[in-house]
Amino acid sequence: MINIPPEIWLDIASFIPNEVIYGQLLRVNRVFLHLGLNIQWGKVRIVWESRRPNSLRIPERLRDPFIAKRVERLDLVLNFNNENFKFQMPKQHDEQMAQRVAPNRLHQTIARAFKPFRSGRQLQGPSKWEPATTSSPFDDSLETIIDCIATLPHVAEFTVDTWIAMDKALPLPNKLDFLFATSWSCFSANLRFLSLEGELPVYQRMALLKPTFNSLKGLQISPSYSPAHLPDGQDGALLQLDDLLLDTLVPFINSVSPQLETLGLKLWGFYDVSDFFKQLSECPALNNLDIHLFGAPLRDPSGLRKFLFHASHTLHKLELYLSSIGDESSQSRQALSELILECASDRACFSRLRSLNIYPTRPIRIDALVASIKQSSRTLTELTISRYLCSPHETEMIVDALSECPDFSCLSLDIKTLNISLLDYLDMKLPGLQRLNIVYGLGRSKIDVFDNWLIRTPNVDLLQDLWGRCYSEWKLNDIAIYHAKQSRIDVQLMLAFVDSIPSIKSFFGEGNMMQPLVTGFRSNSNFFV
């Protein structure tokens, strides 16, 4: 065999799919052997649920240093469920679930007929915990996980996901401190990405150790809070959450903010996060920002506006999902628009933006969105507007702004009506568009019966107009078109697009056209992956 330096072998192997390396080339030479083992053991996921102690499965081969040194990503999922307590849903919830599960009206009629005989067994009032008999060996199982983590020195990506379903009187396991201490001592110096998901009290234990992450570039935080570890009463719970967020998470984020390039914040619940954003420090090197507020009130958006304004000068990718801003007044409904407009008023803001994903969930001023598109016209390649149905006039305004972006290639829109005029306009204004994803909510429809399914063809007019149409110059490669209230794919419509647009090679980001048509359902994966 020709003596080729390892660096060249590695460069060649980077163009070979992982399944080919691991399945066919593993025994070619030592280079492919090492590459195959890195593929197999590069990512390890450990899941443990305390109510099922035997659920813990740690591969025995991780005890071998030859294998352990290859682990670069570790996902740790911990579910603390106390066996002393059994959770039961209220009566109203059981009735709603019974109605969902009933396959037809006959089953629902039978369920209502026997309802008086079942009512005595159902729980009345709010959810509660009922004591059982035994306790769970939290610390023993955690010690096994700690021994495993101690053998993984090269972890660069670490995800911790916790869930707590225990009584207030039962403290968190003491071994949690040792678990985090062991993790930081083993790979904190090499850690580049950290994801913290789950219960806030767990993060408080972690932050008290004051870890140092000199190499950390990406941080994802998605905190939640279980009623099991919050004081009784809303006032006490709010004070507890205030301490956890402002005194624990904010100092931790600020300690690594100067070096962060990726930051994801997913906050949800009844707690007002206005002060949280006010106390966040600037991130001067931030490239990717993802902010999701799932119902979390933001009565004073000034802190978020200031944080986003400072970050917008360096951002390459921005994703905003704000499901609740302030109250329901018309003034607060414009908070997202004002936030974007203020950033767009500075020419340096959004000047490097390549991908913009916005989920308004409330009316947004299109002029604010158009201003941000124009600010990033030299670099913007992807735009997603979801959860808001754009009118035909608003759609044209967006497309006109995108026509000034020379490298723009991916568009995802929710619109009210899809017709042939819009397709003609897209072809004229965006000839270089490569991927198109459209969800539409209005249009004349008909209902057909096919293979015992009631199939709604949402847009008969578009289907008729596409026949005989040809967009021969359009460079569109991938397309995803579906009705907002229909999960099944309109096969006739998709095939009509193929006949009219010769460049289409893929549906719904799958890389091919056969799989979506065979399954009949659109993919649940993100279109822009």
Side-chain angles (χ1 to χ4, degrees):
M1 180 179 292
I2 301 176
N3 187 15
I4 299 179
E7 293 80 8
I8 297 181
W9 275 114
L10 293 174
D11 186 64
I12 295 173
S14 64
F15 297 93
I16 305 175
N18 290 343
E19 57 271 16
V20 175
I21 294 178
Y22 185 73
Q24 304 176 22
L25 304 178
L26 200 62
R27 300 181 181 180
V28 172
N29 55 29
R30 288 187 299 173
V31 174
F32 286 107
L33 173 63
H34 284 281
L35 288 175
L37 292 176
N38 290 341
I39 293 171
Q40 182 182 7
W41 296 100
K43 177 182 176 180
V44 172
R45 181 179 176 88
I46 298 176
V47 181
W48 176 67
E49 185 177 356
S50 59
R51 295 185 65 176
R52 299 185 182 93
N54 295 329
S55 64
L56 181 59
R57 294 288 185 269
I58 297 179
E60 288 293 330
R61 294 204 65 183
L62 287 181
R63 302 180 185 276
D64 184 357
F66 183 73
I67 298 298
K69 68 180 182 180
R70 304 179 184 279
V71 179
E72 294 185 352
R73 176 174 175 176
L74 176 61
D75 294 344
L76 186 59
V77 181
L78 304 175
N79 293 331
F80 298 103
N81 300 289
N82 185 15
E83 290 183 351
N84 285 335
F85 299 90
K86 182 177 67 173
F87 186 70
Q88 292 184 347
M89 289 295 181
K91 174 183 176 180
Q92 182 180 3
H93 179 274
D94 289 341
E95 290 178 348
Q96 293 175 354
M97 291 302 296
Q99 292 177 2
R100 292 182 183 179
V101 175
N104 51 47
R105 293 183 180 272
L106 177 61
H107 287 189
Q108 294 179 7
T109 302
I110 295 175
R112 286 194 296 267
F114 284 90
K115 179 180 177 181
F117 299 97
R118 303 194 317 268
S119 60
R121 298 197 305 268
Q122 293 179 337
L123 179 64
Q124 302 287 340
S127 305
K128 67 179 183 180
W129 297 91
E130 291 185 352
T133 54
T134 59
S135 59
S136 298
F138 291 149
D139 289 342
D140 292 343
S141 297
L142 284 177
E143 188 170 355
T144 304
I145 298 175
I146 292 171
D147 293 340
C148 172
I149 292 177
T151 64
L152 308 176
H154 297 151
V155 173
E157 300 181 17
F158 187 34
T159 297
V160 182
D161 187 357
T162 60
W163 172 255
I164 300 176
M166 300 188 301
D167 180 49
K168 296 181 177 66
L170 187 63
L172 290 173
N174 294 325
K175 290 292 183 178
L176 273 177
D177 297 338
F178 294 98
L179 186 147
F180 286 118
T182 302
S183 301
W184 307 149
S185 63
C186 289
F187 46 73
S188 64
N190 300 323
L191 204 61
R192 297 193 302 269
F193 178 82
L194 176 63
S195 177
L196 303 176
E197 305 175 12
E199 302 291 338
L200 274 170
V202 176
Y203 303 150
Q204 185 180 35
R205 304 282 287 271
M206 178 210 71
L208 291 176
L209 298 173
K210 297 183 179 179
T212 302
F213 302 106
N214 295 325
S215 302
L216 193 67
K217 301 298 181 182
L219 179 63
Q220 174 83 37
I221 292 183
S222 179
S224 61
Y225 36 83
S226 170
H229 279 266
L230 290 178
D232 293 326
Q234 185 174 3
D235 294 338
L238 289 175
L239 291 175
Q240 180 74 15
L241 289 173
D242 186 80
D243 293 339
L244 291 174
L245 280 174
L246 302 184
D247 298 339
T248 300
L249 278 186
V250 169
F252 174 70
I253 297 174
N254 291 342
S255 66
V256 296
S257 59
Q259 63 200 57
L260 286 182
E261 297 177 359
T262 299
L263 177 61
L265 298 173
K266 298 184 178 182
L267 308 173
W268 53 288
F270 61 89
Y271 178 77
D272 184 12
V273 294
S274 300
D275 292 337
F276 174 82
F277 285 105
K278 288 181 180 179
Q279 297 189 21
L280 285 182
S281 300
E282 298 179 18
C283 300
L286 199 62
N287 292 329
N288 301 325
L289 178 61
D290 180 2
I291 297 179
H292 279 59
L293 301 183
F294 299 99
L298 187 63
R299 295 182 175 86
D300 182 4
S302 61
L304 175 58
R305 188 182 299 121
K306 180 181 179 181
F307 180 79
L308 180 60
F309 178 80
H310 289 294
S312 61
H313 296 76
T314 59
L315 285 180
H316 293 168
K317 182 176 181 180
L318 173 61
E319 184 166 347
L320 288 177
Y321 183 104
L322 308 180
S323 63
S324 177
I325 299 182
D327 53 25
E328 296 295 327
S329 65
S330 58
Q331 182 178 1
S332 64
R333 286 174 179 265
Q334 299 299 325
L336 177 58
S337 301
E338 294 175 359
L339 188 150
I340 296 176
L341 273 176
E342 182 171 337
C343 293
S345 63
D346 188 339
R347 291 187 177 182
C349 292
F350 299 138
S351 60
R352 302 181 182 181
L353 200 63
R354 300 173 186 171
S355 177
L356 176 60
N357 300 344
I358 294 183
Y359 306 82
T361 69
R362 291 182 178 183
I364 180 175
R365 290 172 54 184
I366 295 300
D367 59 339
L369 181 60
V370 169
S372 63
I373 293 175
K374 291 182 177 180
Q375 285 290 95
S376 55
S377 60
R378 292 184 300 175
T379 57
L380 191 66
T381 61
E382 296 182 6
L383 174 65
T384 298
I385 303 176
S386 186
R387 307 294 180 91
Y388 174 71
L389 294 177
C390 300
S391 67
H393 176 66
E394 292 172 335
T395 304
E396 289 187 4
M397 291 180 61
I398 294 172
V399 173
D400 287 340
L402 292 176
S403 64
E404 302 177 8
C405 305
D407 298 325
F408 189 79
S409 60
C410 301
L411 175 62
S412 179
L413 279 179
D414 287 9
I415 62 177
K416 292 182 178 179
T417 307
L418 177 62
N419 51 40
I420 199 68
S421 300
L422 176 59
L423 293 178
D424 292 342
Y425 202 71
L426 288 171
D427 176 41
M428 178 180 64
K429 291 289 187 177
L430 303 176
L433 190 67
Q434 298 180 12
R435 305 178 71 180
L436 176 64
N437 180 21
I438 289 183
V439 180
Y440 63 100
L442 302 176
R444 189 165 63 91
S445 63
K446 69 176 182 178
I447 297 179
D448 299 325
V449 179
F450 175 76
D451 194 18
N452 294 327
W453 284 88
L454 289 178
I455 305 299
R456 180 180 295 274
T457 304
N459 206 320
V460 180
D461 297 334
L462 177 61
L463 187 61
Q464 294 175 351
D465 293 337
L466 279 173
W467 296 114
R469 235 0 176 264
C470 183
Y471 301 95
S472 57
E473 302 297 328
W474 210 359
K475 298 180 181 179
L476 197 62
N477 181 265
D478 192 298
I479 191 170
I481 306 290
Y482 44 84
H483 196 272
K485 297 182 179 181
Q486 181 179 351
S487 59
R488 288 187 65 88
I489 295 173
D490 187 347
V491 177
Q492 292 183 355
L493 184 60
M494 298 305 295
L495 292 178
F497 276 113
V498 175
D499 293 336
S500 301
I501 309 175
S503 59
I504 292 180
K505 305 297 181 184
S506 172
F507 289 156
F508 297 92
E510 296 288 345
N512 62 81
M513 294 185 289
M514 288 302 300
Q515 182 175 351
L517 297 184
V518 170
T519 59
F521 291 89
R522 66 177 187 258
S523 173
N524 291 326
S525 60
N526 190 358
F527 184 71
F528 297 122
V529 177

